[in-house]
């Protein structure tokens, strides 16, 4: 197998694991085996091993002696720390992207409309997809590769993937009002209000997660 093919295969396996966590098919604490993923995807165990290594570095997986690779479980304090960093970086992305998005808001407004439809249809998968694209747009338009890479790594950690399926659906949909406040501040050219709205939005997600029982967290 050539080097580019190997890189592509590792990326594909990493994406498959991330998607399985996002969809709730892999639960926090669940053990993963190289042989199982290699057989399921028709790839070498070395490619699976490298994908697991990358996801462990990103914080989605963990290596535990005598257990091997598992889906990582975070403590409540680690959740708070993660959301604090995420909120600060998302607010920065909003500030940096605001001039360009105010001048050309079409993509932003289209994603807002997608989330409107998903809420009206009670369609959580569609809402989650549009929500992820909404947040990714700010980092993309900010045109700061380091910021974008860091936010991507945080997104690939436990951040929201493992908890989206657990929190109350209505509360998740209710958070959509905060998306509208972010967009309104951007259209008004009010960077301070847009940043504050994003911080409030991210902290709202943290609070939803922290409402879950202790059994969902590491000791």
């Amino acid at each position: 197998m050539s080097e580019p093919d190997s890189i592509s295969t590792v990326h594909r396996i990493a994406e498959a694991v991330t998607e399985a966590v996002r969809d709730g098919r892999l639960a926090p604490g669940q053990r993963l085996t190289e042989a199982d993923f290699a057989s399921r995807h028709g790839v070498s165990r070395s490619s699976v091993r490298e994908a697991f290594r990358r996801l462990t570095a990103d914080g989605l997986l963990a290596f535990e002696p005598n257990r091997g690779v598992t889906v990582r479980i975070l403590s409540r304090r680690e959740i708070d720390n993660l959301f604090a960093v995420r909120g600060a970086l998302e607010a920065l992305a909003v500030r940096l992207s605001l001039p360009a998005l105010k001048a050309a808001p079409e993509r932003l407004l289209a994603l807002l409309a997608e989330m409107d439809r998903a809420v009206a249809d009670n369609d959580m998968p569609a809402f989650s997809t549009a929500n992820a694209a909404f947040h990714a747009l700010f980092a993309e338009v900010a045109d700061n590769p380091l910021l974008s890479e860091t936010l991507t790594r945080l997104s690939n950690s436990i951040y929201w993937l493992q908890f989206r399926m657990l929190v109350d659906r209505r509360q998740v949909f209710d958070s959509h009002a905060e998306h509208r406040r972010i967009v309104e501040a951007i259209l008004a050219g009010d960077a301070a209000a847009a940043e504050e709205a994003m911080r409030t939005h991210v902290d709202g997600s943290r609070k939803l997660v922290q409402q879950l029982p202790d059994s969902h967290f590491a000791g």
Side-chain angles (χ1 to χ4, degrees):
M1 182 181 291
S2 66
E3 183 177 356
D5 286 341
S6 298
I7 294 173
S8 175
T9 299
V10 169
H11 178 75
R12 178 163 59 86
I13 297 302
E15 286 292 303
V17 174
T18 301
E19 193 66 30
V21 173
R22 180 181 290 115
D23 292 345
R25 288 177 283 123
L26 290 175
Q30 186 169 338
R31 184 169 177 266
L32 301 110
T33 65
E34 293 175 8
D36 176 52
F37 274 84
S39 174
R40 189 183 311 171
H41 295 279
V43 299
S44 68
R45 289 184 62 167
S46 61
S47 292
V48 175
R49 187 178 306 120
E50 176 61 18
F52 285 179
R53 187 194 67 77
R54 293 185 185 185
L55 291 174
T56 299
D58 283 347
L60 183 64
L61 303 181
F63 177 79
E64 301 179 22
N66 302 319
R67 287 202 68 199
V69 176
T70 62
V71 180
R72 187 179 176 195
I73 305 176
L74 295 187
S75 67
R76 289 189 181 276
R77 181 174 181 179
E78 286 174 320
I79 290 291
D80 280 344
N81 291 341
L82 194 56
F83 274 91
V85 173
R86 179 77 187 223
L89 293 181
E90 292 244 29
L92 174 60
V94 166
R95 174 174 286 276
L96 294 177
S97 64
L98 186 146
L101 289 175
K102 183 177 185 295
E106 294 80 11
R107 291 172 65 193
L108 186 65
L109 292 173
L111 288 169
L112 188 67
E114 283 185 37
M115 288 187 284
D116 285 339
R117 288 191 293 272
V119 171
D121 295 340
N122 198 34
D123 188 340
M124 181 60 78
F127 181 80
S128 295
T129 298
N131 177 63
F134 178 85
H135 284 268
L137 179 63
F138 300 113
E140 175 191 335
V141 175
D143 194 25
N144 183 315
L146 179 58
L147 175 62
S148 182
E149 179 185 348
T150 305
L151 280 170
T152 297
R153 288 176 67 87
L154 282 175
S155 295
N156 286 342
S157 75
I158 201 170
Y159 172 58
W160 188 234
L161 298 181
Q162 295 177 10
F163 292 104
R164 183 181 57 78
M165 304 293 291
L166 302 174
V167 299
D168 182 79
R169 174 181 290 240
R170 189 68 256 164
Q171 288 180 296
V172 174
F173 284 144
D174 287 347
S175 73
H176 179 49
E178 296 159 5
H179 294 138
R180 188 167 297 282
R181 284 194 284 273
I182 294 167
V183 172
E184 289 171 351
I186 289 172
L187 296 180
D190 191 336
E195 283 187 279
E196 182 58 30
M198 178 59 83
R199 286 195 191 91
T200 298
H201 176 56
V202 173
D203 194 57
S205 296
R206 179 192 65 81
K207 290 175 180 176
L208 285 181
V209 171
Q210 291 287 18
Q211 289 175 12
L212 293 170
D214 288 341
S215 58
H216 292 294
F217 302 91

